[in-house]
Amino acid sequence: MTDAFHPTTDNPLLATTGLPPFDRIEPAHVEPAVTAILSEAERWIASLEARLQEGETPTFENTIEELDDIGRPFERGWGPVSHLFSVKNSPALRKAYEAALPRIVDVGLRVKQSEVLYRAVKSLREGPEWEALPEARKRIVEQKLLSAELAGIGLSGERRTRFNEIAQELSKLSTDFSNRVLDATRAFSLVVTDPADSEGLPPSLRQLASQSYNEGRGKVRGIPADAPESTPDAGPWRFTLETPSFVPFMEHCRNRALRERMLRAYVTRASRGPHDNSEIIRRILQLRLERAKLLGYAHHADVSLAEKMAPSVAAVEEMFETLRTAAWASAERDMCELTEFAAQAGFTDELLHWDVGFWAERLREQRFEFTDEQLRPYFPLERVLHGLFGVAERVFGISVEPADGEAPVWHPDVRFFKVFDAESGVQLASFYLDPYSRPENKRGGAWMNDCLVRRRSDEGLQLPVAHLVCNSTPPVGKNPSLMTFREVETLFHEFGHGLQHMLTTVDDADAAGINGIEWDAVELPSQFMENWCYHRPTLLGMTAHYETGEPLPGELFEKIKAARTFRAGTGLLRQLQLGMTDIELHTTFDPHGDETPFDVQQRIWAKTSLLPMLSENRFLCGFTHIFAGGYSAGYYSYKWAEVLSADAFAAFEEAGLDDEAAIRETGRRFRDTVLSAGGGRHPMDVFKDFRSREPDPAALLRQFGLLDS
Ligand code: ZN
């Protein structure tokens, strides 16, 4: 490309080849690099638009590929900045990042909203070249058109104006919604002063509640500024409706009346007074429906599904019903068992909403009590990695080799690995692993991100490079990093995403790896990989006590495995309740009619819970996923992807998990379909390529012990 930047520049963010020079990137590089990239991109976009307007016939090469070329300096210049923002934050970097972000967003919008580009892509769709385009390119074109159309580009005149007004109002309403949830959550607190009421509370909760009390002095009603300081042991303690406080409180507080107060406050959150979200909910539903109709859809759920794998609302509802029917009997057994258990422990009243969590936790303790501390010594990071890479080699025929020192890194703990095809020895990809928690400058959680995407261009083939970021326990003193079981599972999960990014065989960046994959399908390989942590020989094979070398005792493994299915039917019903309510509100519910959203909530509740709903329950008022997040008419995706991943793993179980040849053969097929197709083929077709049929929810039900095998 003649417009390429001058390669001799000193700014590491303007490098055009090789791996990002992470060791040289400084916050001071951000502003000049972004300015250079943006002005170049703007010039480039304008010249592309001008050529198209002057009558150049649109082709895949002169529109989509050209846009991809325009985006490449962002991959190398902005990608590392946003990565470092998450893993090596500093006040200077944050300042540079926040100043640049709106400019980056603007240029993205500029492309997305360009009518000239939209018309060019559209004429490509309708032109003579279309039939001859490979499947992946067809998908890229169609996705670009659809995303522009859902953003209103096909509308004109008053309809366009109205569409934009709706977008503005919805954006404000969703902010208001989440602010009210936050404010309502903050407005409530329960102060406990009697040490008798704190009996049985775990130390971490006492600590949190004591700290919360001290922070609340003079700021929270009922805690005067001159109140004596609280200590974790003696109190007073302040409990709130935030998850880290609310959940353990409900599980451990022995005072039933206090649990009742907490629960009633929780289920009425943001439903009264100044924080009441009821009207916002109705308004959001009205606007979403109106927008759907402007776009030519029957309702908002059809808009949401247009970009997803699930073929129709009916298909989603069918999945709901299959899972619900299977979960119901199991949830009934959970309830009977819990009632008996509580009775034996001397509790003879009826079990109510505020009792279930408490007694379930007692039952869990009695049955499979194990602590993170018991498991950790068996999971040193090195051993776990060895086990993980062993699975990758056995199942997918790839070998992972350490290549530390061959790539500049942002922290001495960061590792670098190369991935090869085990048979041919050809390199396929590479990845960074940033394993440990670093609270001082690294965001929490775990994620996989692309560093470089697979792309074939005039300059040859660019191999994919992934970022695997975890927040595992760092080494302490002379001890190696000892992981909790949850951390091990998380590593497998992110590695699964990484495999899909790295083993792609698609050469067009927009459809390579995880790019362009419908997001109700994107958790397939990640959740699939977690299953190996519950396969006895695999898991035991990657454990070795860091002092004695002993593998994890079999009985501990059995407890881990049993804990996975504990009260699974009850848990599944709760997830279905949220998903089904979401779908009904965005399909058949009429937001202008006499029924309220809470009538829908009530109706679905009756089908998904063994206890009758408390009449004041307004959980919708705090359902930020669908009213303030990206999950509207999409909450079902969690289960949809789980159905896929469980069914994919079932293919390995059917082949025989202990039959090495069968595992290799099935793994090869998984690699050649799910892991290689990327966004270049519809995920339903990809799934069928692998499984020779459509997904079957039975595998998920079996995995959670909800169906006899
Ligand atoms: Zn994930």
Side-chain angles (χ1 to χ4, degrees), residues 464-595:
V465 181
H467 286 302
L468 262 54
V469 184
C470 296
N471 263 285
S472 299
T473 313
V476 179
K478 280 189 191 141
N479 293 344
S481 161
L482 300 173
M483 302 171 81
T484 67
F485 181 72
R486 183 70 211 133
E487 289 168 359
V488 173
E489 252 188 318
T490 302
L491 177 66
F492 271 65
H493 179 104
E494 300 311 333
F495 192 71
H497 284 305
L499 285 174
Q500 193 167 40
H501 176 65
M502 295 188 287
L503 300 186
T504 186
T505 52
V506 176
D507 289 339
D508 292 304
D510 283 325
I514 57 168
N515 286 350
I517 297 186
E518 284 75 357
W519 69 275
D520 48 354
V522 88
E523 295 295 335
L524 195 181
S526 51
Q527 297 182 140
F528 166 85
M529 283 304 290
E530 288 179 34
N531 285 293
W532 293 101
C533 300
Y534 295 91
H535 178 234
R536 188 173 170 137
T538 303
L539 188 79
L540 297 195
M542 68 168 130
T543 59
H545 194 286
Y546 76 108
E547 283 168 329
T548 66
E550 290 287 308
L552 184 77
E555 49 163 46
L556 268 175
F557 171 77
E558 293 306 327
K559 280 187 181 180
I560 293 175
K561 199 168 170 186
R564 191 187 196 192
T565 57
F566 179 59
R567 292 175 60 78
T570 305
L572 178 52
L573 281 185
R574 173 66 183 158
Q575 286 299 307
L576 292 171
Q577 182 174 89
L578 299 173
M580 288 165 71
T581 309
D582 171 37
I583 284 290
E584 182 158 337
L585 286 175
H586 292 107
T587 50
T588 51
F589 175 70
D590 174 9
H592 298 280
D594 293 334
E595 233 196 1

Side-chain angles (χ1 to χ4, degrees), residues 110-141:
R110 157 102 167 75
V111 170
K112 211 174 163 183
Q113 293 170 350
S114 160
E115 308 230 359
V116 178
L117 293 172
Y118 171 71
R119 277 199 304 274
V121 178
K122 196 162 182 188
S123 73
L124 191 57
R125 170 72 182 80
E126 286 152 5
E129 197 199 2
W130 178 252
E131 278 313 316
L133 276 187
E135 184 180 14
R137 294 192 163 187
K138 282 188 174 149
R139 288 246 310 160
I140 293 171
V141 169

